[in-house]
Amino acid sequence: MSDKRNLFNKVWDLHTVQDLPGGQTQLFIGLHLIHEVTSPQAFEILRDRKLKVAFPERTIATVDHIVPTANQARPFLDDLAEQMMSAIEKNCKDFGVTLLDLKDDRQGIVHVVGPEQGLTQPGMTIVCGDSHTSTHGAFGSIAIGIGTSNVAEVLATQTMFLNRPKVRRVVVNGELRPGVYAKDVILFIIQKLGVQGGVGHAYEFAGSTFDAMSMEERMTVCNMSIEGGARCGYINPDQKTVDYLKGRPFSPQGADFDRAAAWWLSLASGPDAEFDDVVTFNAADIEPTVTWGITPAQSVGVSQPLPKVSEVAAEEQRLIKEALEFMGLQEGQPISGTKIDVAFIGSCTNSRMSDLREAARVVKGHHVSPTVKAIVVPGSQLVRKQAMAEGLHLIFEAAGFEWREAGCSMCLAMNPDKLKGREVCASSSNRNFKGRQGSPTGRTLLMSPAMVAAAAIKGHVTDIREFPAAV
Amino acid sequence: MNEIQSVKSTAIPLLLDDIDTDRIIPARFLRCVTFDGLGEHAFEDDRKQDANHPFDKPQFQGAGILVAGRNFGCGSSREHAPQSLMRWGIKAIIAESFAEIFFGNCGSLGIPAVKAARADLDKLAAAIEANPKLEVAVDLQALTVSAAGVTFSVIMPGSARDALVTGQWDYLGRLLSAADQVAEHAKKVPYMSGFSA
């Protein structure tokens, strides 16, 4: 008899240590990724309670949020950042956890590093004190963001309590139109299902559109599950997943790899798999998409006008007015042509090789508008090295972009990279919340890296499909 | 851990939707190795841009219950967000709905987070605006909120409520007590045993 369980439920069942009477599950965690921002207080809890890290070999640390991307000389100019860096160094040393620090060329944004090193594998439960942990679901794992108390729990026990979510299958079928990227697909899904549509759910992304995507594109999609309210999003493992993982440093080696690959592929939701609900979209309906507001669901296709307040549901009107006022935009206006001051290519959403190659292809032979400050921040030191081997940095620099060291940079501005005043930023990151990019009044327009590149050249939001030779 | 069966206090209304954790505590305040001192920075950037922000109004100082809208606490997983609210003085939150990670973080800190119907929240917020000294009672046993003689029901998942009511919200302690079971279970996980399990 075929297994009617979807991948999520198969993996959940496998990791269930015990079910509690109240409905919670004590779940075993296969991989715990930690970074400098949400771990120091967790290690203090362990010290206070005289506890050890239960499975130190299943915990890996790196540094990303506070890392300066220009001047990385120690001590950092920011005393607080230096203090956090020293704390994670000491904590990892004291508790026997491997730290990929700035001196280690494997360092980078935690959600870029995990897959790159082969730490992220299908069938695992993966947690990190960071909401974009959903990224790792691209490999067919249960990957969720957790708070600092949970970080302490996982360090000390390799488990945590969770309620089993429902599983919604989000199907997209068909070929993406020219100029439409994985980023546009997830922005479109969030626009349709809302920023809280996924609360209480894991999203299984399925259909021919995701089947056709590379692993990096799948990571972009799963990364933003949380922006749709789903703590976890995943894609079933297939041959691409297996091929991606073969030969990576932390991947199984030799005969272990073949056994692993067979097991990974067996986890995929089968044709009879059951879901709590299913929603279906057509790839052909998706345009290059840009956010205009202060939540990731406030977006439009680049050729579309902003909504009119009177045309949206009454309970949404207040939020739309608040967003329009904050962004300095008018209802019903086109998003195309909106002037930008800063262009940012980077973040755990879009800082991998395929993102940089695509952006470089767009900017090649052009120059950044004189009024725009543009930066490219690779997601990891290895991405940076590979991009330089391909000469991408030369293309970006010739076009007037700054080429930086790996880190989270301007996605959340816990480091020197931030907006000033009311600057408008075309950004390949994941959040357009008020003040997200470091200036309380700064404004963010989320879009694909190719669209950011085109906006940087033109000085305003531009339809990539109309950009010379870009499609 | 202490048993938390009810919270009685004056309340502060902030009936807005999709309030993200970057707004609750901007990222620059996460440059720290302890949670100390986060209370004064709760909603700092919103407060600077809104002269009428409830967190700055004298009549709401000392309020222990936050009345919030839909999808409260969305975005970043930062526990710094409920930590800053707790250190500002918030002991319970009543909202139309919560983002999941934020809700879990509240449970870890012993902050009851209960859901209520928007119409009830609108009435409650209006009553608080009219009388900021109004005592609001969140009863986790009965799953109700009462104020000024009006009572309405609220929702909280059983596991989260039971943990607070029975004083068993030291999740770490409970997880530790199953250490042997965890060690046994780990052996059954394929990637813990060369994929031959």
Side-chain angles (χ1 to χ4, degrees):
Chain A
M1 209 177 105
S2 67
D3 195 337
K4 290 191 171 176
R5 291 177 304 166
N6 53 54
L7 175 139
F8 187 94
N9 287 329
K10 288 183 205 174
V11 176
W12 183 280
D13 291 346
L14 185 71
H15 291 82
T16 297
V17 176
Q18 58 173 331
D19 286 316
L20 301 182
Q24 284 193 310
T25 299
Q26 181 175 4
L27 207 65
F28 182 79
I29 302 301
L31 175 65
H32 188 192
L33 299 166
I34 62 174
H35 61 81
E36 75 282 10
V37 180
T38 55
S39 68
Q41 297 90 342
F43 280 111
E44 283 313 307
I45 292 173
L46 264 60
R47 283 197 181 91
D48 285 350
R49 296 174 73 148
K50 302 192 171 34
L51 296 168
K52 291 179 186 168
V53 174
F55 291 76
E57 73 286 359
R58 305 224 67 88
T59 310
I60 295 277
T62 191
V63 288
D64 51 11
H65 287 64
I66 58 157
V67 168
T69 63
N71 175 10
Q72 296 193 327
R74 297 285 296 273
F76 294 148
L77 295 173
D78 176 359
D79 288 343
L80 295 172
E82 179 59 31
Q83 214 181 330
M84 295 172 81
M85 198 63 133
S86 306
I88 196 164
E89 287 164 346
K90 178 172 169 36
N91 288 333
C92 288
K93 190 160 171 279
D94 288 358
F95 288 87
V97 170
T98 302
L99 170 64
L100 311 180
D101 65 7
L102 290 179
K103 297 187 290 291
D104 190 317
D105 70 1
R106 297 172 294 175
Q107 173 268 338
I109 304 175
V110 64
H111 309 309
V112 176
V113 169
E116 188 173 75
Q117 289 301 316
L119 289 158
T120 302
Q121 295 170 18
M124 273 186 178
T125 43
I126 301 176
V127 299
C128 174
D130 190 288
S131 61
H132 291 110
T133 306
S134 57
T135 310
H136 306 264
F139 291 78
S141 58
I142 295 181
I144 63 167
I146 60 175
T148 295
S149 296
N150 301 140
V151 172
E153 291 155 14
V154 177
L155 286 172
T157 73
Q158 206 62 29
T159 63
M160 62 179 290
F161 291 125
L162 282 162
N163 287 301
R164 189 194 291 250
K166 293 180 177 171
V167 183
R168 172 175 299 144
R169 186 173 235 210
V170 180
V171 179
V172 185
N173 282 318
E175 208 175 317
L176 293 173
R177 295 192 293 174
V180 178
Y181 296 88
K183 180 65 159 285
D184 303 303
V185 174
I186 187 63
L187 284 172
F188 177 88
I189 290 170
I190 297 166
Q191 182 199 103
K192 297 299 175 197
L193 302 181
V195 287
Q196 61 146 20
V199 172
H201 288 78
Y203 280 172
E204 172 174 310
F205 298 105
S208 63
T209 308
F210 301 112
D211 293 343
M213 283 185 183
S214 69
M215 291 311 296
E216 294 190 354
E217 292 172 308
R218 292 176 186 182
M219 287 184 236
T220 298
V221 170
C222 292
N223 172 272
M224 289 187 70
S225 305
I226 185 65
E227 312 315 334
R231 199 173 181 180
C232 165
Y234 70 91
I235 291 174
N236 286 301
D238 60 9
Q239 194 55 42
K240 276 185 200 168
T241 319
V242 172
D243 293 345
Y244 178 97
L245 286 170
K246 196 168 177 91
R248 303 227 167 226
F250 287 86
S251 291
Q253 307 293 325
D256 278 3
F257 187 84
D258 298 333
R259 281 199 302 275
W263 177 62
W264 293 340
L265 295 171
S266 76
L267 294 169
S269 303
D272 300 331
E274 292 172 344
F275 297 90
D276 293 283
D277 65 2
V278 178
V279 290
T280 304
F281 301 107
N282 288 321
D285 294 337
I286 307 174
E287 263 203 283
T289 301
V290 182
T291 65
W292 58 266
I294 56 172
T295 82
Q298 290 175 326
S299 67
V300 286
V302 65
S303 70
Q304 303 296 312
L306 267 54
K308 289 198 168 143
V309 176
S310 60
E311 289 167 6
V312 300
E315 65 270 20
E316 302 301 325
Q317 292 187 357
R318 180 175 176 165
L319 193 61
I320 290 205
K321 281 187 212 158
E322 183 188 355
L324 288 168
E325 190 188 334
F326 183 83
M327 297 300 291
L329 296 170
Q330 304 299 317
E331 61 174 341
Q333 76 164 82
I335 191 68
S336 185
T338 303
K339 203 178 146 304
I340 67 157
D341 306 296
V342 177
F344 169 57
I345 296 173
S347 88
C348 57
T349 314
N350 283 121
S351 63
R352 299 179 181 84
M353 279 312 301
S354 54
D355 301 314
L356 303 190
R357 287 188 191 116
E358 203 55 24
R361 200 175 63 80
V362 173
V363 304
K364 192 169 186 175
H366 296 286
H367 200 278
V368 168
S369 164
T371 58
V372 172
K373 174 191 169 73
I375 66 172
V376 184
V377 186
S380 70
Q381 290 192 31
L382 290 177
V383 168
R384 185 170 191 273
K385 198 185 270 185
Q386 176 63 28
M388 292 175 80
E390 295 180 18
L392 301 187
H393 64 305
L394 300 175
I395 296 172
F396 284 119
E397 284 173 346
F401 280 82
E402 291 178 39
W403 175 252
R404 297 292 188 84
E405 302 284 345
C408 297
S409 184
M410 206 181 263
C411 173
L412 86 169
M414 281 190 68
N415 50 67
D417 305 339
K418 36 177 93 102
L419 297 183
K420 297 187 193 84
R422 293 193 78 216
E423 280 177 341
V424 175
C425 180
S427 181
S428 72
S429 58
N430 41 57
R431 287 188 173 136
N432 52 343
F433 298 153
K434 282 184 172 181
R436 170 75 179 182
Q437 292 193 285
S439 164
T441 52
R443 296 169 284 173
T444 304
L445 307 172
L446 302 176
M447 58 190 86
S448 70
M451 284 277 287
V452 173
I457 304 300
K458 289 283 193 182
H460 55 77
V461 176
T462 301
D463 190 337
I464 188 69
R465 297 168 298 188
E466 290 164 9
F467 192 80
V471 174
Chain B
M1 296 281 176
N2 54 318
E3 295 172 8
I4 301 170
Q5 287 161 357
S6 64
V7 176
K8 284 181 196 155
S9 172
T10 55
I12 176 168
L14 188 75
L15 209 41
L16 300 172
D17 297 331
D18 298 331
I19 293 291
D20 59 76
T21 53
D22 275 87
R23 285 173 74 171
I24 298 173
I25 186 79
R28 62 183 179 280
F29 300 116
L30 275 54
R31 287 156 47 249
C32 58
V33 293
T34 78
F35 293 120
D36 300 343
L38 288 178
E40 62 187 285
H41 300 300
F43 288 109
E44 179 150 319
D45 290 347
D46 275 11
R47 290 156 73 178
K48 279 191 180 150
Q49 291 171 67
D50 177 4
N52 287 315
H53 197 283
F55 273 65
D56 282 330
K57 286 187 179 168
Q59 64 267 39
F60 297 129
Q61 302 307 307
I65 296 173
L66 177 62
V67 179
R70 181 192 70 189
N71 200 27
F72 188 72
C74 59
S76 157
S77 65
R78 60 189 69 167
E79 194 164 304
H80 307 66
Q83 282 276 0
S84 75
L85 294 176
M86 182 175 80
R87 286 159 198 273
W88 190 85
I90 298 300
K91 295 177 187 66
I93 307 173
I94 314 166
E96 187 179 349
S97 62
F98 295 93
E100 233 165 304
I101 306 178
F102 180 86
F103 176 84
N105 287 339
C106 287
S108 297
L109 301 180
I111 303 170
V114 299
K115 289 203 283 186
R118 187 59 172 239
D120 290 328
L121 291 168
D122 283 334
K123 279 182 221 154
L124 179 62
I128 299 163
E129 292 281 5
N131 175 18
K133 293 200 174 75
L134 184 67
E135 186 180 75
V136 177
V138 179
D139 184 337
L140 293 180
Q141 297 277 20
L143 280 178
T144 58
V145 166
S146 307
V150 178
T151 296
F152 57 87
S153 16
V154 294
I155 299 169
M156 189 176 192
S159 50
R161 179 185 73 151
D162 293 349
L164 293 174
V165 166
T166 59
Q168 292 186 55
W169 47 280
D170 171 19
Y171 295 103
L172 175 51
R174 289 168 58 194
L175 291 164
L176 280 166
S177 67
D180 292 345
Q181 224 174 318
V182 172
E184 263 321 292
H185 190 88
K187 294 177 197 161
K188 291 188 285 187
V189 177
Y191 52 82
M192 298 288 287
S193 56
F195 298 93
S196 46

